[in-house]
């Protein structure tokens, strides 16, 4: 928000409200409401927007993520953890924020956390290289492609190998891997590979 050209009309409005009230609240979105399972690589954006709003003087901040019975395949917990930390410690530097991510991944995924972190970096890189901004309603193929799937599958193979069949961590890795499975489902459908799509879709739903 702070450096975003598309927010140029929003920022003066926010500054104007700040002049007439001490109780400034903001409502932001962290997810794709067109497809809840789309893995948005927006952890840096989460940091920058939260820091900007808190610096501006917001006393209330509602970060809307998942909805209903959807769990966004494991990314929502991480974003909730990071949001809570930023609200508790508003002056957190970005390098400290990155350490929080690393701590969470290691604690939540064990030895697989390293590879989950690389997967998240892969998503962030894909989105940061886009020539357009992501909204809360996007088609997944704006950033997803076969190269992303292949690189993601390699990382998840390493993730599972690193935990040596430990069921405690395996179920968590399996859950976040569903973001990649979802991407693959969408690509198969778009390529009209219906048999492969239906097989993978069935597995996705059962998981």
């Amino acid at each position: 928000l702070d450096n975003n050209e598309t927010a140029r009309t929003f920022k003066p409005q926010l500054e104007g409200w700040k002049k007439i009230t001490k109780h400034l609240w903001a409502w932001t979105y962290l997810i794709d409401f067109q497809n809840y399972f789309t893995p948005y690589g927006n952890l840096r954006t989460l940091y920058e927007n939260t820091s900007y709003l808190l610096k501006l003087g917001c006393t209330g901040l509602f970060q809307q993520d998942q909805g209903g019975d959807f769990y966004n395949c494991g990314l929502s917990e991480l974003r909730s953890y990071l949001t809570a930390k930023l609200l508790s410690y508003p002056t957190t530097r970005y390098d400290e924020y990155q350490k929080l991510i690393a701590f969470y991944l290691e604690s939540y995924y064990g030895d697989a956390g390293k590879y989950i972190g690389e997967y998240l970096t892969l998503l962030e890189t894909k989105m940061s290289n886009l020539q357009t901004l992501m909204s809360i309603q996007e088609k997944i193929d704006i950033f997803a492609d076969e190269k992303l799937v292949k690189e993601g599958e390699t990382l998840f193979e390493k993730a599972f190998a690193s935990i040596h069949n430990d069921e405690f961590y395996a179920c968590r890795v399996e859950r976040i891997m569903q973001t990649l499975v979802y991407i693959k489902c969408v690509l198969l459908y778009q390529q009209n590979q219906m048999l492969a799509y239906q097989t993978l879709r069935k597995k996705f739903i059962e998981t």
Side-chain angles (χ1 to χ4, degrees):
L1 289 173
D2 196 14
N3 300 310
N4 192 329
E5 182 64 21
T6 62
R8 64 182 181 276
T9 58
F10 168 75
K11 289 190 286 188
Q13 291 174 355
L14 204 56
E15 292 283 359
W17 277 106
K18 183 181 177 182
K19 294 176 182 178
I20 61 176
T21 180
K22 295 180 180 179
H23 305 288
L24 191 61
W25 285 45
W27 186 334
T28 68
Y29 295 89
L30 307 176
I31 199 171
D32 182 357
F33 281 85
Q34 186 74 23
N35 297 291
Y36 273 121
F37 294 105
T38 299
Y40 263 24
N42 60 356
L43 296 183
R44 176 148 197 152
T45 300
L46 171 62
Y47 171 80
E48 292 177 348
N49 285 353
T50 303
S51 298
Y52 169 72
L53 291 168
L54 293 176
K55 182 174 65 176
L56 196 63
C58 286
T59 57
L61 188 55
F62 181 69
Q63 307 266 44
Q64 186 164 353
D65 198 344
Q66 65 195 34
D69 293 329
F70 293 92
Y71 295 99
N72 197 26
C73 302
L75 292 176
S76 294
E77 293 94 339
L78 173 57
R79 285 194 289 251
S80 296
Y81 168 80
L82 294 173
T83 297
K85 287 294 186 180
L86 290 174
L87 293 176
S88 300
Y89 306 100
T91 58
T92 299
R93 300 190 310 272
Y94 187 66
D95 64 307
E96 295 172 327
Y97 178 75
Q98 290 178 302
K99 290 179 181 178
L100 288 174
I101 295 174
F103 173 78
Y104 176 94
L105 295 177
E106 181 181 355
S107 301
Y108 197 77
Y109 297 105
D111 290 339
K114 170 187 175 182
Y115 303 105
I116 303 302
E118 291 181 23
Y119 173 63
L120 296 179
T121 298
L122 177 63
L123 294 174
E124 292 269 351
T125 300
K126 291 291 290 187
M127 291 195 173
S128 65
N129 288 338
L130 292 175
Q131 299 301 311
T132 183
L133 295 172
M134 297 288 285
S135 73
I136 62 171
Q137 292 185 325
E138 291 288 353
K139 292 182 178 180
I140 198 169
D141 56 2
I142 194 174
F143 73 91
D145 54 26
E146 295 291 345
K147 186 173 184 292
L148 171 63
V149 171
K150 185 175 181 180
E151 292 179 2
E153 287 178 336
T154 298
L155 290 172
F156 278 108
E157 287 175 5
K158 293 179 179 179
F160 279 111
S162 71
I163 55 178
H164 307 291
N165 298 316
D166 186 323
E167 293 185 5
F168 179 78
Y169 292 117
C171 65
R172 294 179 173 184
V173 175
E174 178 75 27
R175 184 157 173 256
I176 193 171
M177 189 180 71
Q178 294 311 298
T179 59
L180 189 65
V181 174
Y182 178 72
I183 290 175
K184 194 170 182 179
C185 277
V186 172
L187 294 178
L188 287 172
Y189 182 83
Q190 292 175 341
Q191 296 163 1
N192 202 32
Q193 299 184 44
M194 300 313 294
L195 181 59
Y197 161 72
Q198 291 170 358
T199 300
L200 191 60
R201 179 179 181 273
K202 184 175 184 293
K203 182 180 178 181
F204 176 80
I205 293 173
E206 290 174 349
T207 302

